[in-house]
Amino acid sequence: MPNRADFDAANASYVAGFSAGGKPMPPKRQALVIACMDARLHPEKALGVEIGDIHVVRNAGGRAVDALRSVTISQQLLGTTEIYILHHTDCGMLTFSTAQLQGIVKERLGADDGTVYHEFSDLEQSVRDDVALLRASPLVAPGTPITGGVYDVHTGKITWLE
Amino acid sequence: MPNRADFDAANASYVAGFSAGGKPMPPKRQALVIACMDARLHPEKALGVEIGDIHVVRNAGGRAVDALRSVTISQQLLGTTEIYILHHTDCGMLTFSTAQLQGIVKERLGADDGTVYHEFSDLEQSVRDDVALLRASPLVAPGTPITGGVYDVHTGKITWLE
């Protein structure tokens, strides 16, 4: 594990300065953010939230369809009442198709890969699609405020689309 | 959106101090972390990583089965070569069963919910199970170093299980 020694050293330093223990399990701000896994997006920093404040679900693209299990747990068991979708500029999801990636998996790993990768060709539309998916889902609490935005990896700025 | 004004004010401050633009899409440290969505876990802080360093996938419990789509994109398209699973103490996934949550969804939302929620009753075993799932998956690159650990929400300390 090439990064483990660095992670461990950093974590020891983090523990030495840690003062946020004892916070309750339900997020204090009652908010859930669904964001991309991209390395250039640190959602907590970009939103200015503290330990204990919000749930953060992340996956390739920040796609809502992949987050529904977590949304239900967050809303029904841990009391979150609003949802923010956060995609970003220069996203890898804009660069390939499911068929291409399935071909790469077949070639490199020898696996027959039926995964739908949920890539997209229009960044803002991908956010709108994910907001719409959540609003239409019977598993999301009716009336939940849901919005979505784009994080600019070059400036750090979040622009909400509605 | 009750938190949006606070998020916007914090983001404006973040943008004013932002100096990490222009980093490339592939994570510099070539690592992927799969962690829980819990509000008390900020993976980047706990691991001491910077903007651009690592992919972070998060969901309820930090379950690998929910992360496979993202793992493939991370490894095959963006060059990550090691995976860290990160669960944590006092996890909500220890507090309910799929049948109970399906009942709550039926009662509150009126929806017939077939979701498998991937809850667990043994925290360390849940980490081992997720490491094993990735090691056995035909969609994970053979030989990928994979480890897993537990983050202590009271101290900030990460303990790797192997």
Side-chain angles (χ1 to χ4, degrees):
Chain A
M1 307 296 302
N3 282 291
R4 181 159 157 186
D6 283 350
F7 289 170
D8 285 350
N11 184 246
S13 171
Y14 182 69
V15 170
F18 191 78
S19 61
K23 298 207 173 180
M25 189 189 295
K28 179 182 174 188
R29 287 180 173 270
Q30 298 182 288
L32 166 65
V33 172
I34 301 171
C36 186
M37 69 178 177
D38 193 278
R40 296 161 298 177
L41 170 58
H42 289 197
E44 291 91 344
K45 282 188 196 167
L47 294 165
V49 300
E50 304 295 330
I51 294 282
D53 275 355
I54 66 171
H55 277 156
V56 180
V57 172
R58 298 180 65 182
N59 60 54
R63 302 315 312 258
V65 67
D66 232 17
L68 283 171
R69 176 181 69 86
S70 301
V71 169
T72 303
I73 292 169
S74 180
Q75 291 201 316
Q76 299 303 327
L77 299 180
L78 292 162
T80 62
T81 55
E82 53 174 345
I83 304 175
Y84 297 78
I85 301 278
L86 198 51
H87 296 182
H88 64 91
T89 60
D90 195 36
C91 186
M93 300 297 279
L94 292 157
T95 67
F96 73 98
S97 71
T98 284
Q100 286 171 336
L101 185 46
Q102 288 175 341
I104 289 170
V105 168
K106 180 69 177 175
E107 183 185 329
R108 294 185 190 164
L109 306 180
D112 290 316
D113 177 16
T115 307
V116 175
Y117 281 98
H118 302 301
E119 71 276 14
F120 43 79
S121 56
D122 181 321
L123 176 58
E124 293 193 4
Q125 190 58 45
S126 77
V127 176
R128 292 192 179 94
D129 288 347
D130 280 359
V131 170
L133 184 149
L134 292 178
R135 286 188 178 149
S137 173
L139 298 177
V140 175
T144 299
I146 304 170
T147 191
V150 171
Y151 173 85
D152 186 321
V153 297
H154 291 294
T155 66
K157 182 173 172 56
I158 294 167
T159 303
W160 304 107
L161 295 188
E162 44 185 277
Chain B
M1 308 296 301
N3 283 291
R4 180 158 156 186
D6 283 351
F7 288 170
D8 285 349
N11 184 245
S13 171
Y14 182 69
V15 169
F18 191 79
S19 60
K23 297 205 174 182
M25 189 188 295
K28 179 181 173 188
R29 287 179 172 271
Q30 298 182 287
L32 165 64
V33 172
I34 300 170
C36 186
M37 69 178 177
D38 193 277
R40 296 161 298 178
L41 170 58
H42 289 197
E44 290 92 344
K45 283 188 195 169
L47 294 166
V49 300
E50 304 295 331
I51 294 282
D53 274 356
I54 67 171
H55 277 157
V56 180
V57 172
R58 299 179 66 181
N59 61 52
R63 302 316 311 258
V65 68
D66 232 17
L68 281 171
R69 177 181 69 87
S70 301
V71 169
T72 303
I73 291 170
S74 180
Q75 291 201 316
Q76 299 304 327
L77 299 180
L78 292 162
T80 63
T81 54
E82 54 175 344
I83 304 174
Y84 296 81
I85 301 278
L86 197 51
H87 296 183
H88 64 91
T89 60
D90 196 36
C91 187
M93 300 296 280
L94 292 158
T95 67
F96 72 98
S97 71
T98 284
Q100 286 171 336
L101 185 45
Q102 287 175 341
I104 289 171
V105 168
K106 179 70 176 173
E107 183 185 328
R108 295 185 190 164
L109 307 180
D112 290 318
D113 177 17
T115 308
V116 175
Y117 282 98
H118 302 302
E119 72 277 14
F120 43 78
S121 57
D122 181 321
L123 176 58
E124 292 193 3
Q125 189 59 45
S126 76
V127 176
R128 292 192 179 94
D129 288 347
D130 280 359
V131 170
L133 184 149
L134 292 177
R135 287 188 176 148
S137 173
L139 298 176
V140 175
T144 299
I146 304 170
T147 191
V150 171
Y151 172 85
D152 186 322
V153 297
H154 292 292
T155 65
K157 182 174 171 58
I158 294 167
T159 303
W160 304 107
L161 295 188
E162 44 186 278

